[in-house]
Amino acid sequence: MVIKLFEKLSNDYIEFLEKGEDYNVIINVGESPNTKEFKAYSGILKYRSKYFQNELKNAIKNTNSITRINLNPHISIQQFEIIIKYIYGGMISLEEFDAQFIFDLLLVTDELLFEELTDAIEIHLIESNAHWLRSHFSHIYKTSFENKNLKKLQKWCNDIVAKYPNLIFDSENFVSLKENALISLIQRDDLQMEEIKIWNNVIKWGIAQNTDLPSDLDDWSYENFMTLKSTLKNCLPLIRYFQISANDVFSNIWPYSQILEKKLWKDLSGKFMLNNYKISSTILPPRTILKPNLPNRSTEPFSAVINEEHAAEIASWIDKTTTTYNTTNNPYEFKLLLRGSRDGFNRESFWNLCNLKENTITVVNIKVSNNTERIVGGYNPIAWDRSKRGLVNCHNSFIFSLKNGAQKNSILSRVRQPPYAFNYDDSKRGADFGDGGNLSLFNDSFYCQDNQNKGCYCAHGYQYQNQIVDNGYYFINEYEECTVLEIVTNVELMSKRMNIKHSFILKKSADMGNASGINGVGYCDQFEIGNLGYCYQKGIGVQKSVDMDNSIGINNLGCYQNEETMQINVNDFDDDLKEIMNDVKYHQL
């Protein structure tokens, strides 16, 4: 029988550290004027850290036989206090720190070659801070592949990208991707991308690494092709050539045939030219592309203020697309939360029905001069929260006026000063976009009335970019609050195949920044699928790691136009993949 008494041992060593007795190493941490000296014993440092083992080999002792080690100045005192306690006591506590600090600490532990600690922090981030990781996806993806030891985060990132390859391959920074990151993607059997598109992107990446190659392929020399071949030597063997159609082979691969091995090109050509041609090259298996079926979208009217065309235009603004969605490929459904004629034209109704609701659209039909009607409104990706008072920061909100018989073209006005995006105060105002009444409902501060008459106030200010309507008070004919619902994929078939014992709830954040939708995920006690939804031209879905030992996990299908989707019950869950798309749009890889 082995009796382990590690806790007392750990506490004794921590006490030994704090007393600073019998030290022979001083570690200087921080950057002037904020510096601190840590006293340590070389024997412990050597056996706990390869980094300090190497440093102590080359360090010079002073006359008192004390060795001084100067850490890189970017390592903070607070970070090293955690690390030195881990060195002596083998324990760390991360509960009081936010995710950004923990991620920065991870990079420091990797730099100092603490393999065990690095692995533990990676696991902690993935299990406890997955939402933050997704919200900073571009930075996490780029950083993890710049640090070869962060294998767990690399896999976590690739599990997402395999389902949503457009996150990376359609990014303007795709060509700056590290080779190891590209290889880790194209070698996956579950990469949800057509093989010819993978080939085209690999060629695009390879050419970008050699800026001296001629821009016109007709001008390429044999040496130019050999340069590209050398650059792509680790990528080319991972392409599933024999899963590509004849048209695509001769349109896209043939122009670069010189970079392929002769036997491979001979086999590839022979496959399409001769019946029963015997292929001697290695044939990689086809990728597993997941394709569900498509039901019909409900056509019942959803709003008394806007129509389907308006909804598609608003959805395009949410996703920041370059082309406007139409009524058939709109990736969102709008669910009515409040209607003035039904629930009341007052701030009390607004806060009672919309409190803590996020991803909401406000639409207001107002009466302007000559009794003509205009439609104004705004989008709030964050939650209306009656517990807050004052200005609320948001980077992705916008206000608008929509085209109708009285207005030829719609006007979009994105937030210009995010710290002043909203003003929350349930005692004085309803929905309030901006701090200057850019669009404000039932606002005592601007002498709006808590009813239809002069219930809406608009005055263009610096908080939002464009004026959406003439400054003034307006009578409200009708107004509505809608939450933006996502369209998600059919996960039932795949989950049954995996024999999942725990079911799940899915949600897509409306605040994305790109047409490629991302879903969130949470768990519930019983398998439960909601109403059928719809989808659009780019795939949506989500993956969570599968723990086969516990029979828990999720592996959802990709979704494409004219294929099946399901809208899942989104009540009572935690967001999971929120704002990945928006993060990818605004940050470099």
Side-chain angles (χ1 to χ4, degrees), residues 333-443:
E333 295 275 11
F334 290 2
K335 177 185 177 183
L336 185 67
L337 296 174
L338 178 155
R339 178 172 289 153
S341 59
R342 182 189 70 185
D343 303 304
F345 293 89
N346 54 72
R347 54 182 169 269
E348 183 179 0
S349 295
F350 169 78
W351 286 109
N352 286 342
L353 296 172
C354 300
N355 185 46
L356 301 181
K357 301 294 184 183
E358 60 182 30
N359 301 320
T360 56
I361 294 291
T362 303
V363 288
V364 191
N365 182 306
I366 58 175
K367 184 188 298 184
V368 296
S369 58
N370 300 321
N371 288 325
T372 58
E373 297 180 357
R374 298 281 292 277
I375 302 172
V376 297
Y379 168 60
N380 182 3
I382 62 177
W384 297 106
D385 188 347
R386 72 189 314 166
S387 68
K388 295 181 179 179
R389 290 287 188 275
L391 299 175
V392 176
N393 183 49
C394 182
H395 288 270
N396 297 301
S397 61
F398 56 79
I399 56 176
F400 53 80
S401 58
L402 299 174
K403 59 185 177 183
N404 62 0
Q407 182 173 328
K408 184 177 181 180
N409 296 309
S410 299
I411 299 173
L412 169 65
S413 179
R414 295 194 181 278
V415 66
R416 180 162 52 190
Q417 295 289 332
Y420 303 91
F422 302 102
N423 197 334
Y424 289 1
D425 188 343
D426 67 341
S427 67
K428 294 184 178 180
R429 66 193 78 205
D432 192 337
F433 294 77
D435 189 34
N438 288 263
L439 173 62
S440 188
L441 301 180
F442 317 122
N443 190 334

Side-chain angles (χ1 to χ4, degrees), residues 211-240:
T211 56
D212 55 341
L213 291 175
S215 57
D216 190 339
L217 193 61
D218 292 336
D219 297 330
W220 279 35
S221 65
Y222 174 78
E223 288 74 19
N224 293 147
F225 283 103
M226 292 304 101
T227 297
L228 181 61
K229 180 177 181 179
S230 177
T231 300
L232 297 177
K233 63 183 179 181
N234 296 319
C235 296
L236 295 177
L238 302 175
I239 303 295
R240 319 295 169 94

